[in-house]
Amino acid sequence: MYVERVPNRNSPPAVLLRESYREGGKVRKRTLANLSKWPDELVEGLRILLKGGVALPSMDDAFEILRSRPHGHVAAVLGTLRALGLEKLLDRRPSRERALAVAMIVARVLDPRSKLATARSLGGETMSHTLGGELGVGDADADELYRAMDWLLRRRDRIERHLAGRRLADGSLVLCDVTSTYFEGRKCPLARRGYSRDGKRGKLQIVFALLCDGEGCPVAVEVFEGNTADPGVVGAQVAKLRERFSLSRIVLVGDRGLITGARIREELRPAGLGWITALRADAIRKLAGGGDLQLSLFDERNLAEIESPDYPGERLVACRNPLLAAERARKREELLEATERELEKVAAATRRERSPLTDPEKIAVRADRALRSRKVGKHFDTEVAGDGRFAYARNEERIAAEAALDGIYVIRTNVPADELPAGDVVRSYKSLSRVERAFRSFKSVDLKVRPVHHRLEGRVRAHVFLCMLAYYVEWHMRRALAPLLFDDDDPDAAEAQRASPVAPARPSPAARAKAARKRTPEGLPVHSFRTLLADLATLTKNRVRPVAPGAPAADILARPTPLQAEAFRLLGVKP
């Protein structure tokens, strides 16, 4: 028996159940039933049964789902890494070590965890996504990942050289900044006590310096002992730029704590490099006191180029930001009031009826503690009398002198004006915010370089290098996905609406509209980078097996949502 559709001129075709038989040596057929009024799905089910198929109550029963694994975020990050050529940059030849290194980089973007947790997420019963299967490393353990870190570290210099070749050239702007992160354990030779930017007093730490191009894309990172001061890393970065990257003409941009006067004299000038940095507060006060910096310059403008005999052969660009001035004034007043409250407690102790504080030395100790607790003690005059009386008052003259310089900062550079006008000098210095953003990504929500548990010096260096490579991938992903993120995807429009380079940055009109609607102009929801990855993770790859006996299992990708399809289109990769 079989089902046949017979054309019927201008009417719908007739659906007939027929069978074949032989008569007189000829094959004939006869109609057993007219199925024209049956629903199409019922006719199709009967056709399958007649061909030896299995009848099922619904299509949902046609397959057995063996396992469903998050896949979209893996495809996005791994696809971007490969599109950037980073996989071949690690090593041209495929190898187990290369696959493990790629897995650790991708896993750092997806879900930064310890190497043991990363190994557990790659395969077996504990897999949390498809990464292990995509790279063929589902059976990796933590010890293998550690050995892959050693393998990667031996290739670090070559990889950084290629990254610098992609992003830097003679005359390029190079952003440099330094940070620290606290350390877990006591065995690593790099772990030392030093100035903690994380506020973790008493913790061992490491210091690392990051080099980025003018757009904030990372090209190199270097780890130092935890007690290394910021200026101590400059020489190593200059040597890296000159010797390893073969760059003879670059402009190094660093903050006032990194590129100091001593480093300019001893490292940058002898190397013949350009630089942009800023003056410290005491140097600005000296300029104002000596008459080189006239506050009247800012009556009608917020940027002026000045000269000083203290900085021969250099350009000084003085800037005043009114919003920064207001913020510093507000903060100063808060600190002054808080210090007054502490001093008043000391004064009250000297006036109380029962057991008053009368010892001049003890009074002086408590007053000094109150003045040292905040950075405004210099603005108070105190007096401790021999009979135990204590008095304090604000020094309004000192406060006024400091307030006159609120919001003023001075950028110094040796780059000639015909190569970099004053406005571009300010923009270049402000671009350090891009490195600060990289550090926030390194140390907080995205890549989580800490906690650092490794005991071997090489493993610590490899761990930080892995985080840098992960940020390299993330940086390119953020740039491509900007239309779907709260990030500003129209920086030219944002810059065009600023009255001057000194004015605070503002989002472009398109970015403000996107943030207000929380949707793109096409109606797609807007995400942060982290929540967009979480959305992509809902695109699953399902391991299914047909119910037919002996049928093999297969992987079937779920259908992407419009948002997911647009994300893959922007990245230029396939799910």
Side-chain angles (χ1 to χ4, degrees), residues 426-427 430 493-506:
V426 177
R427 292 187 186 92
K430 283 190 168 187
E495 182 64 29
Q497 68 183 353
R498 294 172 69 175
S500 77
V502 180
R506 296 180 57 207

Side-chain angles (χ1 to χ4, degrees), residues 317-572:
V317 182
C319 309
R320 186 178 188 276
N321 185 335
L323 296 181
L324 180 59
E327 175 61 20
R328 286 185 176 173
R330 182 197 64 78
K331 187 173 182 179
R332 182 190 304 105
E333 184 60 28
E334 286 185 357
L335 294 174
L336 288 171
E337 291 176 356
T339 304
E340 282 179 326
R341 288 193 292 269
E342 295 299 319
L343 292 173
E344 183 56 33
K345 291 178 183 179
V346 180
T350 65
R351 297 192 301 263
R352 63 192 175 204
E353 295 183 2
R354 296 183 60 184
S355 303
L357 183 63
T358 58
D359 186 338
E361 291 187 4
K362 292 183 179 180
I363 295 173
V365 169
R366 289 188 58 179
D368 185 63
R369 187 183 304 128
L371 294 171
R372 285 173 174 267
S373 62
R374 296 166 183 87
K375 297 181 179 181
V376 293
K378 60 187 176 183
H379 295 319
F380 286 92
D381 294 326
T382 59
E383 181 182 359
V384 181
D387 58 358
R389 287 181 293 108
F390 173 69
Y392 66 91
R394 292 189 184 188
N395 188 316
E396 298 294 347
E397 186 178 346
R398 288 199 203 115
I399 295 174
E402 182 180 271
L405 298 176
D406 280 351
I408 294 177
Y409 56 96
V410 180
I411 302 173
R412 63 185 295 200
T413 181
N414 67 339
V415 182
D418 57 351
E419 294 183 16
L420 205 63
D424 290 339
V425 170
V426 177
R427 292 187 186 92
S428 299
Y429 184 75
K430 283 190 168 187
S431 62
L432 282 174
S433 62
R434 295 165 183 164
V435 191
E436 293 167 1
R437 177 176 182 172
F439 283 148
R440 286 195 297 274
S441 182
F442 262 67
K443 297 167 66 173
S444 56
V445 295
D446 290 335
L447 305 180
K448 295 181 181 177
V449 70
R450 59 182 180 228
V452 184
H453 290 282
H454 298 288
R455 292 173 294 174
L456 301 180
E457 179 179 332
R459 298 272 169 82
V460 173
R461 296 186 188 278
H463 170 68
V464 176
F465 183 54
L466 272 171
C467 290
M468 189 214 81
L469 293 176
Y471 183 69
Y472 180 82
V473 176
E474 180 187 314
W475 186 89
H476 284 87
M477 290 186 69
R478 281 182 176 273
R479 202 175 194 193
L481 294 171
L484 299 179
L485 304 178
F486 285 105
D487 298 7
D488 198 336
D489 56 329
D490 193 0
D492 293 336
E495 182 64 29
Q497 68 183 353
R498 294 172 69 175
S500 77
V502 180
R506 296 180 57 207
S508 68
R512 289 198 298 272
K514 183 171 61 173
R517 294 191 308 264
K518 296 182 175 56
R519 289 189 175 273
T520 67
E522 295 75 26
L524 297 174
V526 180
H527 279 279
S528 70
F529 179 74
R530 188 52 53 185
T531 59
L532 181 56
L533 279 184
D535 186 289
L536 290 172
T538 63
L539 179 61
T540 59
K541 182 174 280 190
N542 305 303
R543 188 72 172 173
V544 300
R545 182 173 57 199
V547 296
D555 287 328
I556 298 179
L557 184 67
R559 181 178 298 174
T561 66
L563 173 68
Q564 293 166 346
E566 178 64 8
F568 284 111
R569 186 191 71 80
L570 292 172
L571 291 171

Side-chain angles (χ1 to χ4, degrees), residues 103-138:
M104 286 187 284
I105 295 169
V106 174
R108 205 79 210 166
V109 180
L110 297 178
D111 186 14
R113 292 187 286 177
S114 69
K115 302 303 179 292
L116 175 60
T118 298
R120 290 178 63 81
S121 73
L122 292 177
E125 297 179 353
T126 57
M127 72 168 63
S128 55
H129 41 61
T130 60
L131 180 59
E134 293 293 309
L135 292 170
V137 293

Side-chain angles (χ1 to χ4, degrees), residues 221-237:
V221 70
E222 189 162 356
V223 181
F224 299 87
E225 294 181 349
N227 57 358
T228 304
D230 286 6
V233 310
V234 175
Q237 305 315 300

Side-chain angles (χ1 to χ4, degrees), residues 84-327:
L84 292 171
L86 191 55
E87 188 173 42
K88 292 184 178 179
L89 187 57
L90 301 186
D91 196 356
R92 291 184 177 181
R93 293 187 296 273
S95 66
R96 175 78 170 181
E97 292 82 1
R98 189 183 80 171
L100 291 170
V102 169
M104 286 187 284
I105 295 169
V106 174
R108 205 79 210 166
V109 180
L110 297 178
D111 186 14
R113 292 187 286 177
S114 69
K115 302 303 179 292
L116 175 60
T118 298
R120 290 178 63 81
S121 73
L122 292 177
E125 297 179 353
T126 57
M127 72 168 63
S128 55
H129 41 61
T130 60
L131 180 59
E134 293 293 309
L135 292 170
V137 293
D139 57 343
D141 58 21
D143 289 336
E144 259 199 297
L145 295 184
Y146 290 139
R147 291 192 291 272
M149 291 173 69
D150 300 335
W151 174 90
L152 179 65
L153 186 63
R154 293 193 294 271
R155 289 158 174 76
R156 183 191 64 179
D157 290 353
R158 179 181 58 79
I159 295 169
E160 288 184 343
R161 221 169 27 247
H162 281 281
L163 292 179
R166 291 180 178 183
R167 305 293 308 186
L168 302 178
D170 274 335
S172 294
L173 204 67
V174 180
L175 311 179
C176 180
D177 207 352
V178 177
T179 191
S180 62
T181 189
Y182 56 88
F183 199 87
E184 304 294 341
R186 301 175 178 273
K187 301 296 184 182
C188 180
L190 291 172
R192 294 283 189 273
R193 298 189 190 279
Y195 171 67
S196 175
R197 295 163 179 81
D198 303 323
K200 294 286 186 178
R201 295 182 179 178
K203 278 265 193 183
L204 298 177
Q205 67 174 23
I206 57 172
V207 169
F208 58 94
L210 184 66
L211 289 178
C212 299
D213 70 359
E215 295 182 299
C217 181
V219 296
V221 70
E222 189 162 356
V223 181
F224 299 87
E225 294 181 349
N227 57 358
T228 304
D230 286 6
V233 310
V234 175
Q237 305 315 300
V238 170
K240 180 181 292 187
L241 291 167
R242 291 292 304 274
E243 297 169 13
R244 284 176 45 195
F245 299 164
S246 302
L247 297 171
S248 57
R249 275 193 325 108
I250 57 104
V251 179
L252 186 66
V253 185
D255 63 25
R256 66 199 75 192
L258 181 69
I259 301 181
T260 62
R263 298 283 67 79
I264 291 172
R265 290 191 305 271
E266 299 172 14
E267 307 285 353
L268 298 178
R269 280 180 183 157
L273 298 182
W275 42 265
I276 299 174
T277 186
L279 295 183
R280 294 179 179 271
D282 54 349
I284 295 175
R285 284 194 294 270
K286 185 178 178 182
L287 281 177
D292 295 323
L293 176 60
Q294 300 288 337
L295 300 184
S296 59
L297 289 170
F298 304 113
D299 289 345
E300 297 181 0
R301 51 183 173 169
N302 55 14
L303 182 151
E305 191 162 343
I306 62 175
E307 296 180 354
S308 172
D310 294 334
Y311 302 93
E314 298 182 19
R315 299 166 59 205
L316 301 178
V317 182
C319 309
R320 186 178 188 276
N321 185 335
L323 296 181
L324 180 59
E327 175 61 20

